[in-house]
């Protein structure tokens, strides 16, 4: 079936944190960061703009590709050691903030406090990654349905075992529907019953965008929903852009909570 490019979207997902429910005292939070973007805009606009930044600042080339990864950049691991130069760091921050602000996408984040999840659900202990994923999928499909669009889902690969379980979780959602979404609507809006996966080295631009936003967004959510202290910095400047321009909202009330930002487990009475 032919779908006009203007109506074909993709949900790109990356994460910060791990899905394990072990050692939640020291590995407590997981956040899935999603970028909703038209596939043609991703390939023809975002990707070349990202490649230009990487080429100009980090020596990216087809034979020596550079993949932006926030953790490596914070640690200043090569080729990101050049960010020790304040002029280079300023140029990168300026150009990256402009890319986050000006690119055409919708952002969604779903985060979970795994310790609170275990405390609340003594018996029912849904896999944290799959729980967050289902929340994003429901909001994505509802967004597609409201606008008459169709789309698929591309997640950054995390290894053979986790990928296999994740594809099975996606398949269950596709076949059975969600708590607030029928299978018939899902089938009408998702173009594939199979989850798509991409390795980090495949250089997916939107995954690198989501990677840069996941950690600061989790910090913001911990401050908002869990009372954590959040120190302002470049990451929180990016979050402010999301809050002003990019996070998904309730179609009638413009509310971000529960739409662009979803905190799990939901507090009693929330």
């Amino acid at each position: 079936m032919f779908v006009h490019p203007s109506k074909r979207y993709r949900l790109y997902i990356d994460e910060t944190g791990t899905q394990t429910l072990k050692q939640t005292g020291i590995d407590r939070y997981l956040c899935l960061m999603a970028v909703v973007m038209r596939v043609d805009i991703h390939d023809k606009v975002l990707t070349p703009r990202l490649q230009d930044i990487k080429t100009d600042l980090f020596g990216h080339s087809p034979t020596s590709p550079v993949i932006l990864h926030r953790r490596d950049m914070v640690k200043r691991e090569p080729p990101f050691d050049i960010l020790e130069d304040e002029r280079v760091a300023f140029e990168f921050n300026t150009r990256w903030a402009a890319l986050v602000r000006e690119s055409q996408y919708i952002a969604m984040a779903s985060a979970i406090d795994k310790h609170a999840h275990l405390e609340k659900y003594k018996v029912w202990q849904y896999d944290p990654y799959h729980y967050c994923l289902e929340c994003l999928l429901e909001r994505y499909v509802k967004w597609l349905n409201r606008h008459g669009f169709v789309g698929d889902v591309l997640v950054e690969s995390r290894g053979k075992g986790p990928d296999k379980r994740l594809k099975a979780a996606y398949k269950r959602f596709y076949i059975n529907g969600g708590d607030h979404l029928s299978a018939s609507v899902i089938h009408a809006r998702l173009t594939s019953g199979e989850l798509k996966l991409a390795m980090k080295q495949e250089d997916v631009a939107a995954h690198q965008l989501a990677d840069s936003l996941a950690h600061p967004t989790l910090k913001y959510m911990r401050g908002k929903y869990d009372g954590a202290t959040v120190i302002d910095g470049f990451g929180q400047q990016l979050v402010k852009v999301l809050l002003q321009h990019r996070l998904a909202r309730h179609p009638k009330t413009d509310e971000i909570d529960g739409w662009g930002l979803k905190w799990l487990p939901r507090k009693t009475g929330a």
Side-chain angles (χ1 to χ4, degrees):
M1 180 181 69
F2 173 76
V3 178
H4 194 277
S6 66
K7 294 191 174 185
R8 182 169 171 249
Y9 281 77
R10 180 164 287 161
L11 183 72
Y12 301 86
I13 299 175
D14 200 359
E15 87 285 338
T16 182
T18 66
Q19 69 189 92
T20 179
L21 283 169
K22 299 177 181 178
Q23 297 183 311
T24 57
I26 58 175
D27 181 21
R28 183 163 178 168
Y29 301 96
L30 169 70
C31 178
L32 268 60
M33 191 78 216
V35 170
V36 180
M37 182 174 278
R38 261 174 48 185
V39 176
D40 61 329
I41 290 177
H42 175 272
D43 296 345
K44 297 178 182 178
V45 181
L46 179 66
T47 297
R49 184 169 181 178
L50 178 66
Q51 305 292 44
D52 285 346
I53 293 174
K54 294 193 296 184
T55 300
D56 294 346
L57 299 181
F58 306 117
H60 170 87
S61 70
T63 57
S64 184
V66 172
I67 310 298
L68 297 185
H69 189 206
R70 182 187 176 279
R71 184 173 58 191
D72 295 339
M73 298 177 77
V74 169
K75 291 181 178 180
R76 299 298 193 251
E77 295 183 359
F80 306 118
D81 50 343
I82 195 172
L83 293 171
E84 294 285 359
D85 185 323
E86 292 184 0
R87 293 171 298 178
V88 177
F90 177 80
E91 181 178 353
F92 173 78
N93 288 351
T94 300
R95 292 177 68 173
W96 195 256
L99 181 144
V100 170
R101 183 177 61 253
E102 296 167 4
S103 298
Q104 298 178 48
Y105 64 95
I106 299 293
M108 303 175 182
S110 180
I112 187 169
D113 178 340
K114 294 183 287 183
H115 178 74
H117 179 63
L118 287 176
E119 288 294 307
K120 184 173 182 178
Y121 302 107
K122 301 296 185 181
V123 177
W124 181 83
Q125 295 173 357
Y126 197 4
D127 180 289
Y129 197 107
H130 301 169
Y131 192 9
C132 290
L133 175 67
E134 185 167 326
C135 289
L136 291 177
L137 291 176
E138 281 199 352
R139 282 148 186 78
Y140 174 51
V141 172
K142 287 180 178 179
W143 182 85
L144 292 172
N145 198 47
R146 286 198 304 273
H147 296 285
F149 300 148
V150 296
D152 57 13
V153 183
L154 182 67
V155 178
E156 185 163 287
S157 172
R158 293 172 303 120
K160 185 175 181 180
D163 287 352
K164 182 178 180 180
R165 293 189 294 273
L166 189 60
K167 292 185 78 168
Y170 176 91
K171 175 71 78 173
R172 286 193 298 271
F173 172 83
Y174 185 84
I175 293 174
N176 301 322
D179 291 341
H180 310 287
L181 197 62
S182 69
S184 61
V185 173
I186 293 171
H187 297 163
R189 296 303 164 192
L190 292 181
T191 58
S192 176
E194 299 293 331
L195 180 69
K196 294 178 170 63
L197 295 160
M199 302 294 289
K200 186 175 290 292
Q201 57 264 35
E202 291 183 55
D203 197 8
V204 178
H207 281 166
Q208 292 165 77
L209 174 59
D211 174 81
S212 77
L213 300 172
H215 190 266
T217 299
L218 174 59
K219 277 191 171 183
Y220 171 82
M221 293 175 76
R222 287 183 59 194
K224 179 177 177 64
Y225 301 109
D226 220 26
T229 300
V230 181
I231 299 174
D232 197 20
F234 179 63
Q236 292 310 302
Q237 292 175 27
L238 299 181
V239 173
K240 289 177 183 176
V241 173
L242 297 183
L243 291 167
Q244 292 170 359
H245 305 291
R246 293 289 169 246
L247 282 169
R249 299 170 184 269
H250 187 288
K252 295 181 179 179
T253 67
D254 225 25
E255 181 70 30
I256 291 174
D257 289 355
W259 294 81
L261 300 175
K262 179 68 174 179
W263 183 256
L264 303 168
R266 189 176 71 165
K267 297 183 184 298
T268 303

